[in-house]
């Protein structure tokens, strides 16, 4: 294995600095070889190995691409570039960041497909790629992120079906795939996901019926967002077993039948959105 030192980290960060347009000269002013890299602006180092462990450049109005050498930050556990104007594809060298726990690239202009190698970053706890220009399918390999708690891919141009592998991540708490062009049916789930609290698939092209037992495995679900799709059939009775449900949104679909009286059993329910469907009957009881 290639030997790396704090000088490797410094070189990687200087390469990033040279790849970006920095309109407010934040990096130009604060990233200098005359100062120890651990004292650089928005850079944190670990006390044990004295290597760069966190890089948070969110909201600095930076414009540019990511250099391959960013993958040399081998001790990095947090990488946040949220709210900038980075563009281009994600370099494959980022797959070397095996200690990464938090990856946040939201609100940029990254393009291309979500690379399958992201599934090799198995220490990830949170993963934000929302509001970019990403296309293609969601890679099945994301199901390998067995410690993932938050997955946010909303606001892109993603196609294809929702990979069933994502529902194998037992640690997942929040999953937001809204505002894409995903199609097909929502995958069935065969085991309990005790951690999941929020599912947001709003504004896609999802079709098919919601399976009768779909919500049997989400006992701690608090929010369900399925509006603006093309879902059909009836509301599954299993939804009303989610006793912690605070809101659900099913509006702008093709759902039919009547609302079960069991909705009254959801004592924590605060908001319901069901407009623009094909429901029938008298629903004044709730």
């Amino acid at each position: 294995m290639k030997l790396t030192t704090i000088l490797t980290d410094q070189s990687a960060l200087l390469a990033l600095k040279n790849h970006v347009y920095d309109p407010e000269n934040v990096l130009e002013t604060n990233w200098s070889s005359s100062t120890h890299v651990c004292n650089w602006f928005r850079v944190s180092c670990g006390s044990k190995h004295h290597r760069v462990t966190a890089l948070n450049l969110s909201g600095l109005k930076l414009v540019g691409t990511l250099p391959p050498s960013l993958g040399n930050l081998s001790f990095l556990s947090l990488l946040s570039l949220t709210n900038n104007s980075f563009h281009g594809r994600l370099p494959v060298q980022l797959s070397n960041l095996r200690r990464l726990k938090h990856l946040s690239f939201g609100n940029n202009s990254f393009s291309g497909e979500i690379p399958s190698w992201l599934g090799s970053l198995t220490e990830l706890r949170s993963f934000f790629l929302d509001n970019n220009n990403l296309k293609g399918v969601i890679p099945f390999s994301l199901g390998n992120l067995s410690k993932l708690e938050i997955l946010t891919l909303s606001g892109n141009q993603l196609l294809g079906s929702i990979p069933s592998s994502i529902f194998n991540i037992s640690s997942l708490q929040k999953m937001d795939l809204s505002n894409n062009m995903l199609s097909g049916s929502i995958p069935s789930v065969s085991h309990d996901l005790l951690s999941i609290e929020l599912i947001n698939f709003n504004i896609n092209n999802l079709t098919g019926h919601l399976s009768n037992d779909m919500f049997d495995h989400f006992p701690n679900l608090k929010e369900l967002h399925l509006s603006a799709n093309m879902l059909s059939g009836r509301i599954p009775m299993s939804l009303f077993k989610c006793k912690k449900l605070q809101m659900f949104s099913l509006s702008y679909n093709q759902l039919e039948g009547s609302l079960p009286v069991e909705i009254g059993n959801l004592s924590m329910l605060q908001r319901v959105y069901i407009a623009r469907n094909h429901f029938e009957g008298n629903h004044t009881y709730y």
Side-chain angles (χ1 to χ4, degrees), residues 230-266:
M230 295 181 286
L231 299 169
S232 57
R234 296 174 175 266
I235 298 177
M237 291 297 293
S238 58
L239 178 62
F240 306 109
K241 297 179 182 179
C242 300
K243 301 298 185 183
K244 297 185 179 181
L245 203 62
Q246 297 174 10
M247 74 88 62
F248 69 84
S249 174
L250 301 173
S251 52
Y252 291 90
N253 279 287
Q254 300 168 21
L255 298 169
E256 58 189 28
S258 59
L259 279 179
V261 68
E262 284 80 5
I263 191 173
N265 297 336
L266 300 178

Side-chain angles (χ1 to χ4, degrees), residues 6 17 124 206 239 275:
I6 189 64
K17 174 183 171 182
L124 274 181
L206 299 173
L239 178 62

Side-chain angles (χ1 to χ4, degrees), residues 129-150:
L129 265 177
D130 50 304
N131 298 312
N132 281 278
N133 296 320
L134 297 165
K135 299 182 179 181
V137 302
I138 300 174
F140 196 82
S141 62
L142 293 190
N144 296 331
L145 303 177
S146 59
K147 298 179 181 179
L148 196 65
E149 298 172 357
I150 301 174

Side-chain angles (χ1 to χ4, degrees), residues 103-173:
L103 178 62
S104 186
F105 286 173
N107 294 311
N108 281 281
S109 298
F110 288 113
S111 58
E113 298 187 356
I114 298 176
S116 60
W117 53 255
L118 282 166
S120 67
L121 302 179
T122 53
E123 292 298 317
L124 274 181
R125 269 64 166 183
S126 62
F127 178 27
F128 295 87
L129 265 177
D130 50 304
N131 298 312
N132 281 278
N133 296 320
L134 297 165
K135 299 182 179 181
V137 302
I138 300 174
F140 196 82
S141 62
L142 293 190
N144 296 331
L145 303 177
S146 59
K147 298 179 181 179
L148 196 65
E149 298 172 357
I150 301 174
L151 175 64
T152 301
L153 304 177
S154 57
N156 285 285
Q157 301 167 47
L158 300 175
L159 300 166
S161 58
I162 299 171
S164 59
S165 59
I166 291 178
F167 287 98
N168 292 331
I169 306 175
S170 60
S171 55
L172 204 57
Q173 299 173 11

Side-chain angles (χ1 to χ4, degrees), residues 5-267:
T5 68
I6 189 64
L7 294 178
T8 309
D9 296 350
Q10 176 179 296
S11 176
L13 293 176
L14 289 175
L16 175 62
K17 174 183 171 182
N18 292 332
H19 262 73
V20 301
Y21 168 58
D22 178 12
E24 298 186 352
N25 291 317
V26 176
L27 303 186
E28 185 65 35
T29 305
N30 294 283
W31 285 15
S32 169
S33 299
S34 62
T35 308
H36 195 280
V37 65
C38 293
N39 295 322
W40 287 5
F41 180 68
R42 300 285 190 93
V43 175
S44 301
C45 292
S47 57
K48 182 178 180 181
H49 298 286
H50 302 288
R51 298 288 301 277
V52 174
T53 56
L55 177 62
N56 182 359
L57 301 181
S58 59
L60 297 183
K61 302 178 181 178
L62 302 175
V63 183
T65 59
L66 300 184
S69 56
L70 203 60
N72 292 334
L73 297 173
S74 53
F75 281 78
L76 205 62
S77 65
L78 182 148
L79 176 57
S80 179
L81 306 176
T82 303
N83 295 325
N84 285 289
S85 295
F86 285 100
H87 55 89
R89 295 173 181 264
L90 302 181
V92 66
Q93 289 81 4
L94 295 183
S95 62
N96 296 325
L97 304 179
R98 299 304 175 93
R99 291 180 170 90
L100 207 57
K101 293 182 179 179
H102 305 284
L103 178 62
S104 186
F105 286 173
N107 294 311
N108 281 281
S109 298
F110 288 113
S111 58
E113 298 187 356
I114 298 176
S116 60
W117 53 255
L118 282 166
S120 67
L121 302 179
T122 53
E123 292 298 317
L124 274 181
R125 269 64 166 183
S126 62
F127 178 27
F128 295 87
L129 265 177
D130 50 304
N131 298 312
N132 281 278
N133 296 320
L134 297 165
K135 299 182 179 181
V137 302
I138 300 174
F140 196 82
S141 62
L142 293 190
N144 296 331
L145 303 177
S146 59
K147 298 179 181 179
L148 196 65
E149 298 172 357
I150 301 174
L151 175 64
T152 301
L153 304 177
S154 57
N156 285 285
Q157 301 167 47
L158 300 175
L159 300 166
S161 58
I162 299 171
S164 59
S165 59
I166 291 178
F167 287 98
N168 292 331
I169 306 175
S170 60
S171 55
L172 204 57
Q173 299 173 11
K174 298 181 180 181
M175 173 168 38
D176 188 351
L177 309 181
S178 63
N179 201 9
N180 281 288
M181 295 183 285
L182 299 170
S183 58
S185 58
I186 298 174
S188 59
V189 182
S190 59
H191 56 279
D192 288 350
L193 290 176
L194 301 178
S195 299
I196 196 76
E197 296 182 355
L198 182 148
I199 296 174
N200 189 349
F201 296 161
N202 278 355
I203 315 177
N204 279 287
N205 298 318
L206 299 173
T207 56
H209 292 203
L210 300 175
S211 62
N212 290 333
D213 62 348
M214 175 169 289
F215 301 104
D216 282 341
H217 305 290
F218 306 142
N220 295 308
L221 190 65
K222 294 181 179 178
E223 294 190 26
L224 175 68
H225 305 260
L226 298 178
S227 287
N229 282 283
M230 295 181 286
L231 299 169
S232 57
R234 296 174 175 266
I235 298 177
M237 291 297 293
S238 58
L239 178 62
F240 306 109
K241 297 179 182 179
C242 300
K243 301 298 185 183
K244 297 185 179 181
L245 203 62
Q246 297 174 10
M247 74 88 62
F248 69 84
S249 174
L250 301 173
S251 52
Y252 291 90
N253 279 287
Q254 300 168 21
L255 298 169
E256 58 189 28
S258 59
L259 279 179
V261 68
E262 284 80 5
I263 191 173
N265 297 336
L266 300 178
S267 59

Side-chain angles (χ1 to χ4, degrees), residues 266-286:
L266 300 178
S267 59
M268 301 182 71
L269 195 62
Q270 300 171 17
R271 290 173 292 158
V272 176
Y273 301 96
I274 58 171
R276 301 288 180 170
N277 280 285
H278 305 306
F279 294 124
E280 59 191 32
N282 182 356
H283 304 134
T284 58
Y285 48 75
Y286 66 91

